[in-house]
Amino acid sequence: MNLTEANKIFRKSIIKGYFEPNLLNLDFSKSNIKHPTIPDDGLMQSSLLHIFFDVETGSDYPDGDEWFIAEFLFPYNIKIPDSVKGPDYFTTLSLSDGKNFWHHRELIRFKYGKSKKLVESLEFLDSKYKELHSMLEPLEKDIK
């Protein structure tokens, strides 16, 4: 087994065995949205924002067993205010039909050498979800 395959297996294991069950305990539920590029299911607390886990990006790095990318997806093709656009918040995710969704990506480092930071990473995911969700709440009226 090569490094890339091993890192993907490890990442999926830590996501399925730790992050997903703990997020479900924090009132997240399975997402009803399919991500355009990530094949695995996501999680949500509301239909405005969904979390998906990217196990592919960086899986060829030697430290790829210490982190993964969390993608926060706003799956609506609507115009959003400039105040929530940009690398700190949301950028476009182009779809094959010429439309776009909005997404935000975060590096989740759950291990530093021999020190595991699972609890801190989980708290960060939850707080980032709440922060991004609060920015999107004013747009809820535009998507119904």
Side-chain angles (χ1 to χ4, degrees):
M1 179 179 306
N2 67 36
L3 176 68
T4 300
E5 292 168 343
N7 282 341
K8 285 181 194 176
I9 290 169
F10 186 79
R11 286 173 168 187
K12 280 189 177 191
S13 297
I14 201 81
I15 289 165
K16 297 285 184 202
Y18 180 77
F19 286 99
E20 285 185 0
N22 281 292
L23 287 169
L24 290 169
N25 286 337
L26 294 173
D27 293 326
F28 282 80
S29 59
K30 291 287 183 186
S31 174
N32 57 351
I33 298 293
K34 293 295 178 197
H35 193 283
T37 60
I38 298 173
D40 296 324
D41 290 334
L43 299 171
M44 65 180 191
Q45 281 184 323
S46 109
S47 62
L48 282 180
L49 190 62
H50 305 259
I51 297 177
F52 293 87
F53 300 101
D54 176 356
V55 297
E56 300 285 332
T57 302
S59 61
D60 55 339
Y61 286 45
D63 68 344
D65 64 337
E66 299 180 5
W67 59 275
F68 58 82
I69 302 287
E71 178 145 338
F72 297 82
L73 183 71
F74 178 64
Y76 301 99
N77 185 38
I78 66 169
K79 186 175 174 136
I80 63 173
D82 288 344
S83 61
V84 297
K85 291 179 187 174
D88 291 335
Y89 301 115
F90 290 95
T91 57
T92 57
L93 177 64
S94 297
L95 305 176
S96 60
D97 62 3
K99 295 180 181 178
N100 65 277
F101 285 165
W102 296 92
H103 71 138
H104 175 79
R105 294 171 60 85
E106 285 284 345
L107 174 74
I108 306 299
R109 184 171 285 281
F110 55 85
K111 186 175 147 192
Y112 291 91
K114 294 183 181 190
S115 175
K116 290 190 172 106
K117 304 287 184 180
L118 292 169
V119 172
E120 292 90 341
S121 297
L122 181 67
E123 289 170 351
F124 175 78
L125 274 172
D126 187 45
S127 67
K128 180 55 80 168
Y129 184 94
K130 285 176 174 43
E131 173 192 352
L132 294 171
H133 187 272
S134 69
M135 299 171 83
L136 297 171
E137 283 177 321
L139 303 174
E140 194 165 17
K141 65 184 176 337
D142 297 333
I143 59 174
K144 293 190 177 189

